[in-house]
Amino acid sequence: MSFFLAAASQQRRIGVWVVVAMLAGWVLYIITSTRRTYVPGEELEVAPNRKTYFNDEAMEGPRLTKYLWWAFITLMITAIALPVYWMREPYRQRAGGLQRGVKYFDEEAVIRGQRYFQATPGDPPTPREAHYGCENCHGVKGVGGVATYTLSDPAHPDAPAQQVQWTAPPLNTVMLRYRPEEVKYILTYGRANTPMPPWGVDGGGALNDQQLDDLIAYLQSIQLDAKAVRADALATFGVDGQKLFEANCSRCHTMGWSYGAPGKPGGGAFGPPLDNGSTLEQFPTPALQVEWVAKTAEQGKPYGVRGQSHGLMPHFEDILSPEQIQAIVDYERGL
C-alpha cells in the first residue's frame, strides 16, 4: 500500500508544480503586457510579420536541412526508445510494482466483499458501509445456517401460507462446487421459490457488477481446503450412495428436504426428478452421468441427451472422491 501512496504523492507533487508554473507564466504575461505603453502606429515598424526575414534560398537550404535532421533524430529516438522501454516493461512489472498493485486491489476487493456479506447493522449505513446480510442466512464466514421462508402451496392457493425454517447451504465450499461465473449468475438472479433473492442489478437487486465481483472475491477468500473437505466427506459418509445423495443432492432433487419435510428421494424440486427412469433416459450410460456429476458443463454447453447446462448444477469432483461420485450415480440410477 505504501508503494501506491508514494506513487500518488509523487503524481500530486508533479501536478502541483505544473499548476504553479502555469500560474506563474500567466502572471508574468499579464505584468509584462500591461506595463508596456502602446504608441499608435508602432506596429508598422515592430510587427513580426512586417520584419525582413530569410529569403527562399536560405529557408529551403541549410536551415531546412538542419531542422529535417533534427526531426529525423527525434523520430529515431521515438522509434527505438519506445520499443526498448516496452520490451523491459514485463520485467519491471514482475520486479514487484504490478504484483504489489494487484495484491493491494485484491485485498481491497475482499475487504469490501466481506462488508457486503456481513449482517445488516441496526442503524442505516452509508452506501460505502453498506451490509447486505448474507451471513444472516449463510452463517458467519459462510458456514451455513437457516432462513425463515414463507411457503405457499400452488396446488391449494387458498390455503394459508406456511412459515418454515429453510436450511441455507454453506458458502465456504461454494467455489469448490461452482465456477466463478456460475456463482455470479446465481447471485445476480437468485433462486426462484427459495429464500435466495436476486442481488444483481440485472436481476432486480441492489448490487452492481463491481460489488458482485467483490462479494465473490470474499467468498474465494473463505473457501475450505479441497483435500480436507474430501477427507471429511469420506470419513463421514464413506461410499454409501444414499447418505451421499442426501447430503449433497437432496437439497435440489428432493421436495421438502430444505425445510425438514422431505418427500420421495429424487422426486424433483428445484432440480429435475431423478426417479422412474428419468436419469436413465438423460444418461444412457453410467459414464455419462459420472462425468456430469463430477464436472457438469459450462453454462450453455450440452450434456447427456439433449441437456443444456444453465450453470445451476454443482460439480462434485473437488469435494468428493471418484468412488463416492460413482456411488451417488449408482444410487440415482436405482431410484
Side-chain angles (χ1 to χ4, degrees):
M1 184 172 180
S2 60
F3 170 80
F4 281 92
L5 290 176
S9 300
Q10 179 69 14
Q11 292 175 350
R12 192 177 294 109
R13 285 195 294 269
I14 293 174
V16 169
W17 281 112
V18 170
V19 172
V20 170
M22 291 177 62
L23 291 176
W26 276 106
V27 170
L28 182 62
Y29 170 76
I30 292 172
I31 292 174
T32 56
S33 61
T34 55
R35 291 182 62 183
R36 184 172 175 274
T37 303
Y38 171 72
V39 179
E42 68 176 354
E43 67 275 5
L44 298 176
E45 298 179 3
V46 299
N49 62 333
R50 293 181 177 272
K51 290 183 178 180
T52 304
Y53 208 62
F54 297 102
N55 57 31
D56 291 344
E57 184 177 353
M59 285 288 293
E60 298 177 5
R63 184 180 179 84
L64 178 60
T65 302
K66 180 180 70 173
Y67 284 105
L68 287 176
W69 272 111
W70 276 113
F72 176 74
I73 292 172
T74 305
L75 179 61
M76 291 304 296
I77 292 174
T78 304
I80 296 174
L82 283 179
V84 170
Y85 173 81
W86 289 113
M87 286 174 64
R88 289 185 52 81
E89 181 67 6
Y91 301 99
R92 186 187 68 82
Q93 291 175 349
R94 285 197 292 270
L98 180 62
Q99 292 176 353
R100 287 196 298 270
V102 170
K103 182 180 179 182
Y104 167 75
F105 285 111
D106 287 345
E107 290 172 351
E108 287 294 300
V110 170
I111 291 172
R112 291 192 299 269
Q114 181 179 19
R115 186 168 62 245
Y116 302 148
F117 189 87
Q118 289 172 342
T120 306
D123 296 330
T126 65
R128 182 176 177 81
E129 301 171 340
H131 301 262
Y132 294 96
C134 304
E135 69 178 27
N136 290 338
C137 298
H138 295 282
V140 177
K141 292 189 176 181
V143 298
V146 294
T148 301
Y149 185 61
T150 301
L151 192 68
S152 59
D153 185 358
H156 303 88
D158 296 331
Q162 178 186 4
Q163 291 283 337
V164 299
Q165 294 299 303
W166 195 285
T167 302
L171 298 183
N172 55 6
T173 57
V174 68
M175 307 306 296
L176 302 177
R177 296 179 281 117
Y178 290 97
R179 301 172 180 88
E181 62 271 18
E182 295 169 344
V183 175
K184 189 170 184 178
Y185 182 87
I186 295 171
L187 288 173
T188 300
Y189 297 100
R191 289 186 182 272
N193 297 318
T194 78
M196 176 64 181
W199 286 106
V201 171
D202 290 343
L207 301 180
N208 58 36
D209 277 352
Q210 180 63 63
Q211 291 172 309
L212 291 174
D213 290 339
D214 292 341
L215 189 54
I216 291 173
Y218 172 68
L219 292 177
Q220 289 174 325
S221 74
I222 62 172
Q223 295 305 288
L224 300 178
D225 179 70
K227 291 183 179 179
V229 174
R230 282 197 299 268
D232 182 66
L234 190 60
T236 304
F237 306 110
V239 290
D240 188 316
Q242 181 176 355
K243 292 181 179 179
L244 288 165
F245 177 86
E246 291 174 353
N248 297 280
C249 312
S250 288
R251 176 183 303 280
C252 292
H253 294 286
T254 298
M255 184 69 70
W257 182 93
S258 294
Y259 47 90
K264 183 181 179 182
F270 183 81
L274 304 177
D275 57 353
N276 299 326
S278 299
T279 303
L280 303 181
E281 292 179 0
Q282 183 63 259
F283 303 102
T285 66
L288 285 174
Q289 188 173 352
V290 166
E291 179 75 9
W292 170 248
V293 175
K295 301 179 182 298
T296 68
E298 295 182 12
Q299 193 168 353
K301 298 296 179 64
Y303 70 89
V305 178
R306 298 182 63 81
Q308 182 181 11
S309 173
H310 296 289
L312 301 175
M313 166 72 180
H315 59 264
F316 289 99
E317 66 175 355
D318 290 332
I319 62 175
L320 297 176
S321 69
E323 294 77 14
Q324 290 176 310
I325 293 175
Q326 183 65 59
I328 290 176
V329 169
D330 292 341
Y331 175 76
E332 291 177 345
R333 296 179 76 82
L335 290 175

